[in-house]
């Protein structure tokens, strides 16, 4: 068990529907649907999959009136709070709020009509809908862009503070969170660090437009970990060009490795070498698929050989190691069973279930 202890920055507590963010609340995991919002069935199915994976808040894009019409049913059926993602269209925002969303994400710099923006903020305040001020390096207001000449972290922070102060002072409204995203992970980190020195509003962190599973996971892990290690960040989204459910798995993997939240079993697996006599990749994939269905604080191991496997994975609660035609199941490094290769997986899963019955405290949720 890791001894890493992170001292979190104390932020204001805000609410997105029933989900509290900030203060001492767990770091919340968010994602965004990539279905056509107008397609109710597809969108609800994806939200359900995200929820089952542990997603706590979901954002949906609202590009047009048609999407707003579907939103009422989405918010009614969704098991988790829904946030409407808006750009340029304040009037659509008002309709989205009336359709029952728990939050909106706006990039205020893209809203040209200040009167409509004010009206949108008023409607959010009336319904206690959370507003995320989502600053994006690529769409800073022209005045700020002119002042800095480049979307530097300082420019992003100035833009966020201007909007934050505007909403707080003019509307006396505090159910707000902030994001300062850039596709450059280092600028993202700098922007959040600067901002957290001058404001205690909760922060939604992550790297935008980070790419597919490999580059996106690397960039997000670098940025999110740098920030979380400094205690910065109240809610995370790992943006990936992939099935959004993967974003949730990566988010929990980051949190577990920082000792901040354990939802899924950890899987230790060897890289294999010339001693491996089984198809370990296949075995690993099966174990991973199975492990994603159980939410438990467990460490499992999938090792390539009987001789070194149990010793190399002593820290695992339970593990398997494969040999020629046979495999073994071990518990904390000690062999408890030897089984035929074809029964290795099913026996392993039975042993895990038995272990969880004996240790119900390991189950999460
Ligand atoms: S467990 Fe065995 S197969 Fe895997 S890396 Fe170690 S020695 Fe090689």
């Amino acid at each position: 068990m890791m001894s890493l202890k992170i001292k979190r920055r104390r932020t204001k507590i805000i609410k997105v529907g029933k989900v509290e963010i900030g203060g001492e609340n767990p770091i919340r995991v968010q994602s965004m649907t990539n279905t056509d919002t107008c397609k109710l069935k597809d969108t609800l199915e994806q939200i359900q999959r995200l929820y089952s994976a542990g997603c706590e808040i979901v954002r949906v894009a609202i590009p047009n009136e048609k999407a707003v019409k579907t939103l009422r049913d989405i918010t009614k059926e969704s098991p988790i709070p829904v946030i409407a993602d808006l750009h340029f269209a304040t009037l659509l925002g008002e309709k989205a709020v009336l359709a029952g969303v728990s939050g909106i994400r706006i990039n205020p710099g893209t809203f040209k009509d200040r009167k409509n923006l004010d009206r949108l903020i008023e409607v959010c305040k009336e319904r206690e809908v959370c507003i995320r001020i989502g600053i994006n390096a690529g769409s800073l207001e022209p005045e700020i862009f002119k002042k800095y000449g480049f979307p530097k972290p300082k420019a992003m922070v100035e833009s966020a503070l201007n909007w934050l102060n505007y909403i707080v002072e003019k509307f006396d409204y505090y159910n707000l969170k902030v994001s300062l995203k850039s596709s450059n992970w280092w600028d993202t980190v700098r922007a959040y660090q600067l901002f957290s020195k001058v404001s205690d509003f909760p922060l939604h962190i992550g790297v935008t437009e980070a790419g597919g599973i490999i580059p996106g996971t690397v960039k997000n892990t670098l940025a999110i970990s740098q920030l979380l290690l400094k205690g910065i960040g109240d809610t995370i989204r790992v943006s990936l060009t992939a099935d959004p459910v993967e974003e949730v798995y990566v988010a929990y993997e980051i949190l577990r490795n920082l000792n901040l939240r354990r939802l899924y079993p950890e899987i230790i697996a060897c890289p294999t070498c010339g001693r491996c006599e089984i198809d370990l990749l296949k075995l690993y994939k099966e174990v991973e698929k199975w492990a994603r269905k159980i939410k438990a604080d467990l460490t499992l191991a999938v090792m390539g050989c009987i001789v070194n496997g149990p010793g190399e994975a002593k820290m695992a609660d339970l593990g398997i190691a494969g040999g020629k035609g046979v495999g073994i199941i071990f518990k904390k490094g000690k062999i408890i069973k030897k089984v035929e290769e074809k029964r290795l997986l099913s026996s392993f899963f039975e042993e895990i279930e038995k272990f969880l019955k004996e240790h119900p405290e390991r189950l999460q949720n």
Side-chain angles (χ1 to χ4, degrees), residues 270-277 280 302-310 312:
C270 81
T272 75
C273 70
R275 292 179 195 90
C276 182
E277 291 178 306
L280 196 79
V302 183
M303 307 300 282
C305 72
I306 291 176
V307 186
N308 292 347
E312 286 181 17

Side-chain angles (χ1 to χ4, degrees), residues 7-235:
K7 193 169 180 302
R8 285 182 58 201
R9 187 178 73 107
R10 190 63 67 84
T11 47
K12 286 188 188 3
I13 296 174
I14 59 151
K15 269 180 134 185
V16 178
K18 287 190 179 135
V19 179
E20 280 194 350
I21 297 173
E24 288 181 3
N25 284 296
I27 290 155
R28 303 297 186 188
V29 172
Q30 302 198 25
S31 185
M32 184 169 181
T33 55
N34 61 6
T35 50
D36 175 352
T37 309
C38 304
K39 293 186 176 157
L40 180 65
K41 193 171 165 278
D42 294 358
T43 306
L44 280 176
E45 266 173 21
Q46 196 171 67
I47 291 177
Q48 190 57 47
R49 286 177 56 233
L50 286 165
Y51 166 66
S52 302
C55 179
E56 297 173 287
I57 299 168
V58 67
R59 186 157 46 112
V60 298
I62 304 299
N64 50 40
E65 287 276 348
K66 230 173 127 196
V68 177
K69 282 196 185 120
T70 333
L71 204 49
R72 194 169 289 280
D73 288 324
I74 294 174
T75 56
K76 239 188 254 160
E77 300 290 325
S78 171
I80 44 177
V82 177
I83 294 180
D85 188 78
L86 301 149
H87 288 269
F88 303 100
T90 23
L91 294 176
L92 278 184
E94 203 177 319
K95 288 179 186 170
V97 172
L98 298 177
V101 294
S102 304
I104 59 166
R105 182 264 162 151
I106 55 170
N107 182 352
T110 66
F111 290 153
K112 302 290 169 234
D113 189 330
R114 185 63 69 94
K115 239 169 127 185
N116 284 341
L117 175 63
D118 286 1
R119 174 76 199 133
L120 175 60
I121 297 165
E122 269 164 16
V123 177
C124 285
K125 185 179 173 182
E126 277 161 30
R127 298 187 162 233
E128 291 179 28
V129 164
C130 179
I131 303 174
R132 163 151 69 103
I133 300 168
I135 303 300
N136 195 310
S139 54
L140 284 174
E141 306 93 295
E143 316 81 82
I144 297 217
F145 195 83
K146 206 171 148 199
K147 181 173 165 188
Y148 290 91
F150 191 76
K152 294 176 183 153
K154 265 188 180 172
M156 289 157 68
V157 171
E158 184 171 326
S159 172
L161 286 172
N162 286 348
W163 289 110
L164 193 66
N165 293 338
Y166 178 72
I167 299 175
V168 166
E169 284 161 19
K170 183 161 181 180
F171 300 90
D172 191 27
Y173 192 47
Y174 295 85
N175 201 16
L176 311 169
K177 57 187 156 79
V178 172
S179 63
L180 304 138
K181 294 194 182 183
S182 161
S183 54
N184 176 315
W185 75 266
W186 185 240
D187 278 352
T188 303
V189 169
R190 287 291 303 137
Y192 281 109
Q193 282 177 326
L194 289 172
F195 185 89
S196 66
K197 284 185 186 148
V198 291
S199 171
D200 64 353
F201 273 91
L203 289 170
H204 167 112
I205 63 171
V207 179
T208 191
E209 296 124 20
I213 291 193
I214 293 176
T217 299
V218 171
K219 284 186 210 171
N220 271 289
T221 304
L222 284 167
I224 291 173
S225 304
Q226 287 266 349
L227 290 167
L228 291 179
L229 282 165
K230 289 184 165 66
I232 300 167
D234 303 280
T235 173

Side-chain angles (χ1 to χ4, degrees), residues 269-290:
C270 81
T272 75
C273 70
R275 292 179 195 90
C276 182
E277 291 178 306
I278 49 156
D279 186 349
L280 196 79
L281 187 60
K282 196 169 152 222
L283 213 55
Y284 176 83
K285 282 187 176 158
E286 290 295 328
V287 172
E288 186 185 57
K289 203 163 108 194
W290 193 87

